[in-house]
Amino acid sequence: MHEVVLPEWAVERGKWLNSFGEIDPARTALVIVDMQGAFVAQGEIFGNPHAEAIIPNVNRLAGAMRTAGGAVIWTRQTVSGEAPLAMAPWQYDPTDERVREAMDALTPGAPSHDLHPEMERFHTDLVLDKYRYSAFACPSGALEATLRQRGIEMLVVAGTLTNVCCESTARDAYMRGFKVIFLSDATATVCGEEHNAALLSLRLHFADVRDTAAVISMLDQQDNRETS
């Protein structure tokens, strides 16, 4: 797991807009980005030990969100060769062996395309395939439509890669008017420098950055208020 280095000055500067001390589970969704075999399992094309290390935190968050009455949404990065879902031709070279391996791993039906077997997905959870980095680029705006339909106002973002699909999703959420909490210890990328650079930018402009314990504590506090 990455060592989180987030300067206090960045936390303070970001507080004026993105500082959320409470969570209303009924209006909150935990969006877990791309915790698939291809990105998590060792020996896979994008297998990453940092992503593997956050599995317990992601599962704890998902359990706490369900218990509190919030929504849990999983995304899967997906490859298609058919327009309009296919990537622009200049963005990849299908003749490259590693690119071909990556495309095969992220094609629906491939074992590596599915969530990592240690991810605790429940039947009440929603699973969305996405074909671009941001989850808001799901076909036909499926994620945003689902959130609006459910009256969701806040997203808690976890998953991998911190500085690619997770960050893209958080930025798009912010620009669509959602409050965003980004998990510092339930997101992962390939190295600490990239992880912390993403956290810095997000904390300054787009999200409240908190750890797993803090978010679970907020969920527990809300539950205690409702039962007292």
Side-chain angles (χ1 to χ4, degrees), residues 26-199:
R27 295 185 174 276
T28 302
L30 171 63
V31 178
I32 305 169
V33 179
D34 301 353
M35 291 295 286
Q36 300 158 260
F39 294 104
V40 179
Q42 299 309 292
E44 290 286 350
I45 180 67
F46 300 117
N48 183 347
H50 298 295
E52 190 174 47
I54 66 171
I55 289 175
N57 281 350
V58 173
N59 284 335
R60 284 175 58 213
L61 283 162
M65 188 65 72
R66 292 188 203 97
T67 298
V72 177
I73 301 172
W74 305 80
T75 74
R76 296 184 298 198
Q77 185 67 23
T78 306
V79 166
S80 172
E82 302 296 323
L85 300 179
M87 295 183 294
W90 63 266
Q91 293 179 329
Y92 68 102
D93 177 7
T95 64
D96 183 283
E97 182 178 347
R98 185 168 172 82
V99 171
R100 186 72 256 168
E101 184 183 352
M103 294 176 68
D104 289 345
L106 295 173
T107 298
S112 302
H113 175 259
D114 205 0
L115 301 182
H116 187 280
E118 292 183 28
M119 305 317 303
E120 296 174 359
R121 175 177 60 186
F122 278 41
H123 70 281
T124 54
D125 300 346
L126 180 65
V127 180
L128 293 175
D129 288 343
K130 64 183 183 64
Y131 295 80
R132 300 293 186 271
Y133 292 155
S134 171
F136 283 91
C138 290
S140 304
L143 175 60
E144 184 169 7
T146 297
L147 298 173
R148 302 295 185 194
Q149 191 175 48
R150 297 186 181 194
I152 299 299
E153 296 178 349
M154 175 181 283
L155 300 190
V156 179
V157 178
T160 195
L161 295 168
T162 309
N163 56 323
V164 186
C165 294
C166 296
E167 183 176 3
S168 297
T169 297
R171 286 170 177 253
D172 276 357
Y174 172 86
M175 294 308 299
R176 285 166 168 80
F178 294 98
K179 300 174 183 177
V180 181
I181 296 179
F182 198 92
L183 274 301
S184 61
D185 63 348
T187 51
T189 188
V190 297
C191 68
E193 290 85 352
E194 292 182 44
H195 183 73
N196 286 307
L199 296 184

Side-chain angles (χ1 to χ4, degrees), residues 4-48:
V4 175
V5 180
L6 188 58
E8 188 58 33
W9 63 263
V11 175
E12 289 300 316
R13 228 174 80 186
K15 276 184 177 179
W16 75 275
L17 187 61
N18 296 299
S19 185
F20 311 117
E22 295 183 355
I23 293 176
D24 179 359
R27 295 185 174 276
T28 302
L30 171 63
V31 178
I32 305 169
V33 179
D34 301 353
M35 291 295 286
Q36 300 158 260
F39 294 104
V40 179
Q42 299 309 292
E44 290 286 350
I45 180 67
F46 300 117
N48 183 347

